[in-house]
């Protein structure tokens, strides 16, 4: 088998890349280790930056998002029993769209398969070789057969636990990381959202987040210990803790409902540099992870592949390698700004393990600034709705 670009991983990064390349007439084969059913039902984050929603819309995969996604013009920060609104739209002129990552993935898979383009699920034992040559090779097993795929370029979009980053020889990549002394317990509940906007709460007992997926489904998160066993969280305990942390003096409280899904997500920040080795380009979680507090993971993955698609389009059209040569540098600039924002939101809102009273006062001072100073609020809002995407880089008008 031969293609232009071999894409490993059918998450937001791999699928958006395949979609942008297809629009430009560049061939690709997407390899996904899991089944279609698995990737379409994985519950992940759900906030699309303005630029992400715009990109999906402008490239023809935004119909369902426009119908079912919820446009939010602000978010709430809650502490000391009070909610404070950050007027995202007023401060930036832009909005966010609440629409589950797995819905984005479903729409992209439907578009790809609908167009009859190659997307191979259940691709097992994926291995890369020849990355430092002009004809890299991807081997995998599918339906019990060994398959060899040659390509001009490999896009490593296989998430944090994928094989692409590991295929780079030792000593080439440098990794920067921070593990946080807490995790999130995420809950999906059949309950109408109790507020129109997301509520990020700093509480002495720990962070809590109120979010949603539809007018009938609420998404909630609780700060828990990093090694927390979900078995220790029967539904009654979850609801009691959510009420304790999220209830505010103005009468806001969560609505209870059947728990549809629950799971624990670790919190970490990771950046791997550079995001390229020879003909391998890493994108999304394969290259970097952010803690979910800033809602940036999927957006950052899509920003990477917008840059990569643009560079590949130019390369195929003109042979000019400048965009590919600048890929890692261009992406890492945004990556580090988003790393900082995500770290900052995380450290402002989570109770620390040591219950350090000095740090607690600093968090309150920070929240005070963000809710009282227009400059601080604008900075948060700009980062939250997202830094501008370079649409020209994505080959878009
Ligand atoms: N071969 C093929 N596919 C693989 C392999 C492999 N060896 N290893 C992992 N994969 C697949 C995973 O099953 C997954 O579907 O790669 C895909 C990677 O997708 P994501 O993890 O969604 O990563 P990405 O596309 O970069 O999107 C980042 O996803 O995890 C969230 O919080 C994260 O929102 C962020 C977003
Ligand atoms: C979500 O709805 O899943 C969500 C929202 C905001 C975040 C993280 C997750 O910061």
């Amino acid at each position: 088998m031969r293609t232009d670009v071999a894409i490993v991983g059918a998450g937001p990064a791999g699928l958006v890349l395949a979609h942008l390349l297809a629009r430009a007439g560049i061939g690709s084969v997407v390899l996904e280790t899991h089944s279609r059913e698995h990737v379409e039902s994985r519950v992940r984050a759900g906030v699309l930056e303005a630029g992400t929603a715009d990109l999906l819309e402008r490239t023809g995969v935004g119909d369902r998002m426009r119908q079912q996604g919820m446009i939010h013009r602000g978010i709430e920060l809650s502490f000391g029993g009070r909610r404070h609104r950050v007027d995202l739209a007023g401060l930036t002129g832009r909005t966010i769209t609440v629409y589950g990552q797995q819905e984005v993935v479903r729409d992209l898979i439907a578009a790809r398969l609908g167009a009859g383009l190659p997307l191979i699920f259940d691709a097992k034992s994926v291995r890369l070789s020849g990355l430092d040559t002009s004809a890299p090779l991807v081997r995998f097993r599918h339906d019990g057969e060994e398959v060899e795929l040659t390509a001009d370029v490999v896009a490593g979009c296989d998430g944090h636990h994928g094989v692409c980053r590991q295929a780079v020889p030792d000593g080439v990549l440098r990794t920067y990381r921070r593990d946080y002394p807490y995790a999130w317990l995420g809950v999906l509940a059949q309950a109408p959202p109790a507020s129109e906007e997301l509520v990020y709460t700093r509480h002495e007992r720990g962070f809590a987040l109120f979010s949603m997926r539809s007018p009938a489904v609420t998404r909630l998160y609780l700060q828990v210990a990093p090694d927390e066993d979900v078995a220790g969280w029967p539904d009654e305990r979850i609801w009691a803790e959510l009420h304790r942390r999220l209830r505010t003096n103005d009468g806001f409280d969560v609505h209870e409902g059947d728990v549809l899904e629950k799971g624990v997500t670790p919190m970490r920040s990771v950046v791997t540099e550079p995001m390229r080795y020879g003909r391998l380009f890493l994108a999304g979680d394969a290259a970097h992870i952010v803690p979910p507090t800033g809602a940036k993971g999927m957006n950052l993955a899509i920003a990477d592949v917008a840059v990569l698609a643009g560079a590949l389009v130019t390369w195929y059209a003109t042979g000019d390698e400048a965009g590919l040569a600048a890929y890692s540098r261009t992406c890492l600039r945004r990556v580090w700004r988003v790393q900082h924002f995500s770290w900052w939101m995380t450290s402002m809102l989570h109770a620390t393990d040591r219950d350090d009273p000095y740090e607690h006062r600093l968090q309150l001072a920070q929240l005070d600034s963000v809710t009282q100073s227009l400059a601080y609020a604008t900075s948060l809002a700009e980062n939250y709705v997202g830094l501008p995407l370079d649409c020209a880089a994505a080959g878009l008008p």
Side-chain angles (χ1 to χ4, degrees):
M1 233 198 230
R2 211 216 98 75
T3 188
D4 297 329
V5 182
I7 300 176
V8 186
L15 290 167
V16 170
L17 178 62
H19 178 61
L20 295 174
L21 294 177
R23 290 181 79 252
I26 299 170
S28 65
V29 173
V30 184
L31 304 177
E32 166 59 49
T33 196
H34 286 111
S35 66
R36 178 177 184 182
E37 205 268 322
H38 178 91
V39 299
E40 290 191 343
S41 56
R42 244 176 342 201
V43 181
R44 296 275 181 88
V47 173
L48 305 187
E49 292 178 356
T52 305
D54 191 42
L55 181 143
L56 297 174
E57 181 107 49
R58 286 167 64 186
T59 61
V61 283
D63 289 356
R64 225 163 51 89
M65 176 192 72
R66 204 181 323 106
Q67 287 158 17
Q68 294 175 23
M70 294 175 277
I71 293 187
H72 285 202
R73 303 176 58 81
I75 56 168
E76 307 261 7
L77 296 176
S78 167
F79 55 99
R82 289 188 54 206
R83 288 190 290 165
H84 306 256
R85 185 163 189 267
V86 180
D87 180 3
L88 300 175
L91 292 165
T92 67
R94 305 199 298 155
T95 57
I96 53 157
T97 303
V98 176
Y99 188 61
Q101 177 171 318
Q102 85 262 36
E103 305 302 332
V104 174
V105 163
R106 264 181 218 175
D107 295 342
L108 289 159
I109 290 174
R112 178 128 187 117
L113 297 179
L117 296 170
L119 164 51
I120 300 173
F121 290 102
D122 302 300
K124 301 299 179 197
S125 49
V126 176
R127 284 143 291 151
L128 314 185
S129 57
L131 297 173
D132 52 354
T133 72
S134 57
L137 182 65
V138 183
R139 291 197 187 83
F140 59 99
R141 285 170 52 77
H142 187 243
D143 280 344
E145 307 230 329
E146 190 69 18
V147 186
E148 282 195 3
L149 173 66
T150 44
D152 299 323
V153 160
V154 179
C157 302
D158 53 347
H160 188 58
H161 302 287
V163 293
C164 292
R165 196 179 58 251
Q166 262 109 49
V168 176
D170 287 350
V172 172
L173 302 178
R174 175 155 186 204
T175 298
Y176 301 81
R177 72 179 291 145
R178 169 150 312 180
D179 293 291
Y180 299 89
Y182 32 77
W184 279 14
L185 171 66
V187 177
L188 194 68
Q190 189 67 49
S195 150
E196 285 185 2
E197 294 179 342
L198 271 60
V199 185
Y200 286 84
T201 303
R202 200 247 171 248
H203 190 279
E204 279 58 40
R205 296 177 62 89
F207 170 80
L209 170 60
F210 167 88
S211 180
M212 64 200 72
R213 283 295 175 275
S214 75
V217 176
T218 303
R219 178 79 172 144
L220 301 145
Y221 297 95
L222 284 170
Q223 176 185 349
V224 293
D227 52 356
E228 195 78 36
D229 182 357
V230 74
W233 287 85
D235 297 356
E236 312 77 65
R237 182 176 176 205
I238 290 176
W239 290 116
E241 196 59 30
L242 283 165
H243 288 306
R244 261 192 218 120
R245 297 191 198 175
L246 284 169
R247 196 162 32 215
T248 53
N249 299 339
D250 61 1
F252 168 71
D253 200 351
V254 279
H255 296 151
E256 292 190 21
D258 288 346
V259 171
L260 306 172
E261 199 255 5
K262 52 186 159 183
V264 174
T265 315
M267 302 278 282
R268 53 182 168 235
S269 298
V270 184
V271 181
T272 304
E273 294 186 4
M275 289 167 59
R276 171 186 188 175
Y277 170 70
R279 288 287 179 95
L280 170 68
F281 294 83
L282 299 171
D285 276 20
H288 42 70
I289 302 272
V290 283
T293 327
K296 293 289 153 212
M298 164 173 42
N299 295 291
L300 195 54
I302 292 175
D304 285 348
V305 297
V307 175
L308 184 54
L312 286 167
V313 169
T314 304
W315 185 54
Y316 276 105
T318 67
D320 181 356
E321 289 201 18
L324 289 178
Y327 169 74
S328 178
R329 190 168 8 104
T330 306
C331 289
L332 284 168
R333 185 157 176 234
R334 183 190 192 94
V335 165
W336 277 109
R337 287 183 71 180
V338 171
Q339 285 285 332
H340 178 257
F341 176 67
S342 303
W343 163 84
W344 174 72
M345 285 285 279
T346 301
S347 31
M348 177 169 71
L349 290 162
H350 288 73
T352 51
D353 215 14
R354 293 158 283 138
D355 202 17
D356 179 337
Y358 179 80
E359 185 152 340
H360 181 193
R361 286 288 195 278
L362 287 183
Q363 289 175 321
L364 294 178
Q366 187 72 80
L367 284 162
D368 198 14
S369 295
V370 167
T371 49
Q372 302 307 318
S373 148
L374 198 59
Y376 269 97
T378 306
S379 170
L380 187 156
E382 278 176 356
N383 281 284
Y384 199 86
V385 301
L387 307 170
L389 263 190
D390 185 350
C391 278
L396 295 176

